[in-house]
Amino acid sequence: MANSVLRFQAEKIRFIVNLTDPVFHGKYHGKNKHDDDFNLVLERARVAGVKNMIITGGSLRESQAALRVAKEHGFYATVGCHPTRSTEFDEFKGGPEAYLNALDEVLKENVNGRGRAVAVGECGLDYDRTHFAAPEIQKRHFRSQLSLAKKYHLPLFLHSRSAHKDFVSILREEGFGVNGGREVGGNGGVVHSFTGQLDELADLMDMGFHVGVNGCSLKTADNLNCARAIKLDMLMLETDAPWCSMTGAHASKAHLNTLPASLNDLYFPPSVKPEKFVLGKSVKGRNEPCSIGGVAWVIHQLHPELPYEDIVEKVWKNTVAVFGLDDLE
């Protein structure tokens, strides 16, 4: 079983990851804790069967960095501003309009070719962390970024935390309430790292948006029930690395316990604490792209009637279709 799964994965896995974070270069909270092991992180992902990546941009500067990495390695990137960084619009030289224009310019220059931008985002609302940006600021600059998705006919890479009512209201008001906004120039998208309730899930799928699942989406029994309820043709898988690791305290652990040892070693390789870093080993507490197979395995366990390979194949096709990655086929 393991060999056939690995051969399948090597051609068919796709996921979303934040590779611009400095922890992949050994820097934590501004301090160097170990050697740069970025290339080894990529190699572990390749060995685990990962074919490509979408690197998320969470600010103007981070979007530019994501595109540089994408072009260097033949990946893809998103361009946008995370809700917790919404104050950057107002603090930018020239103000919010200048910041939006700068994002626009980045998109205009990078929507084609190797390492291209394939989505607008990460944008949305986060009411769990309003100490970074007040709700009114978040709403204003979430709405403005939707204009970029319309202009470039790109899908959205969306973030929603404890803000569902305002989140869907803004999307509906801007024409994204039906068929992912295609009638107003949009092109659907994904609400990533979903941790909401069943009724919220139903809203998102009814509006035509895909739903992304990672370790944070699988922490509790309620989370697992929601993950099981995602229609397979609306499902995407991700890691959100270096965040959203799956741990022994999560409800997903019982399902990961059924993972064959050969796959477990690939998806969750031996790790050490940052201060005891050993070149070639992963780092405890730092989620890596190679763990995507573990997320896929949990979803498989929630749908035991379906082979693991079929679920991965379906998610691959969903991702290729939404983000326009036909060159990978």
Side-chain angles (χ1 to χ4, degrees):
M1 175 184 175
N3 286 338
S4 64
V5 168
L6 285 174
R7 285 198 298 270
F8 182 88
Q9 275 192 290
E11 296 182 357
K12 294 297 184 181
I13 201 79
R14 275 284 311 166
F15 69 99
I16 298 167
V17 61
N18 186 358
L19 279 182
T20 60
D21 196 286
V23 299
F24 290 119
H25 299 278
K27 185 174 288 187
Y28 298 73
H29 306 294
K31 296 182 179 180
N32 289 317
K33 287 197 173 184
H34 59 74
D35 293 341
D36 186 329
D37 64 338
F38 182 78
N39 288 331
L40 292 173
V41 170
L42 296 185
E43 177 61 15
R44 282 192 287 272
R46 186 194 66 78
V47 172
V50 173
K51 184 173 181 180
N52 213 295
M53 306 183 196
I54 298 174
I55 306 174
T56 55
S59 68
L60 174 60
R61 179 176 293 182
E62 194 174 273
S63 296
Q64 293 166 330
L67 284 161
R68 286 194 294 270
V69 174
K71 291 183 186 304
E72 179 180 354
H73 296 279
F75 298 154
Y76 304 94
T78 74
V79 173
C81 186
H82 192 281
T84 61
R85 302 181 196 173
S86 296
T87 57
E88 290 191 13
F89 279 86
D90 302 298
E91 296 164 355
F92 192 69
K93 184 178 180 180
E97 185 176 353
Y99 193 94
L100 186 66
N101 287 341
L103 290 174
D104 190 327
E105 192 67 23
V106 171
L107 283 167
K108 183 172 69 174
E109 295 176 353
N110 292 283
V111 291
N112 296 302
R114 176 183 170 92
R116 68 183 181 272
V118 296
V120 172
E122 180 176 354
C123 58
L125 301 175
D126 189 322
Y127 290 178
D128 281 343
R129 293 179 282 180
T130 55
H131 54 288
F132 290 118
E136 290 305 315
I137 294 174
Q138 293 187 34
K139 287 190 289 185
R140 183 162 61 250
H141 302 311
F142 173 35
R143 190 184 297 272
S144 71
Q145 290 179 81
L146 297 180
S147 66
L148 299 177
K150 296 175 185 178
K151 179 175 181 177
Y152 293 100
H153 312 300
L154 286 172
L156 289 161
F157 184 61
L158 293 163
H159 177 106
S160 178
R161 282 284 181 275
S162 302
H164 181 76
K165 182 178 178 181
D166 286 348
F167 179 73
V168 296
S169 291
I170 290 173
L171 286 169
R172 287 168 175 155
E173 289 165 7
E174 294 298 323
F176 290 85
V178 178
N179 197 23
R182 288 171 177 83
E183 287 74 12
V184 295
N187 201 13
V190 59
V191 181
H192 102 108
S193 192
F194 182 76
T195 58
Q197 304 300 313
L198 284 168
D199 59 336
E200 297 172 351
L201 173 64
D203 282 344
L204 299 174
M205 292 191 293
D206 287 346
M207 292 167 67
F209 287 102
H210 286 65
V211 181
V213 172
N214 58 36
C216 289
S217 311
L218 305 169
K219 285 184 176 181
T220 69
D222 284 345
N223 289 157
L224 294 180
N225 286 335
C226 278
R228 186 184 291 111
I230 300 171
K231 299 174 184 176
L232 291 183
D233 60 356
M234 305 297 283
L235 174 67
M236 289 192 191
L237 303 178
E238 58 178 88
T239 60
D240 205 25
W243 321 113
C244 292
S245 299
M246 289 183 281
T247 74
H250 293 176
S252 58
K253 179 61 175 175
H255 297 296
L256 288 176
N257 285 341
T258 67
L259 187 64
S262 58
L263 295 182
N264 189 77
D265 290 343
L266 290 174
Y267 302 156
F268 305 104
S271 61
V272 296
K273 293 181 179 180
E275 55 270 21
K276 296 183 178 180
F277 178 75
V278 176
L279 199 65
K281 288 194 174 184
S282 59
V283 177
K284 284 187 182 297
R286 183 186 71 177
N287 196 14
E288 289 196 12
C290 60
S291 71
I292 186 63
V295 178
W297 185 264
V298 174
I299 297 298
H300 160 56
Q301 292 294 298
L302 298 177
H303 296 277
E305 73 282 3
L306 296 175
Y308 178 58
E309 293 92 337
D310 288 1
I311 289 174
V312 175
E313 168 75 1
K314 182 59 182 171
V315 172
W316 167 268
K317 289 187 179 299
N318 292 346
T319 309
V320 166
V322 170
F323 293 109
L325 311 181
D326 296 331
D327 46 322
L328 290 180
E329 295 279 59

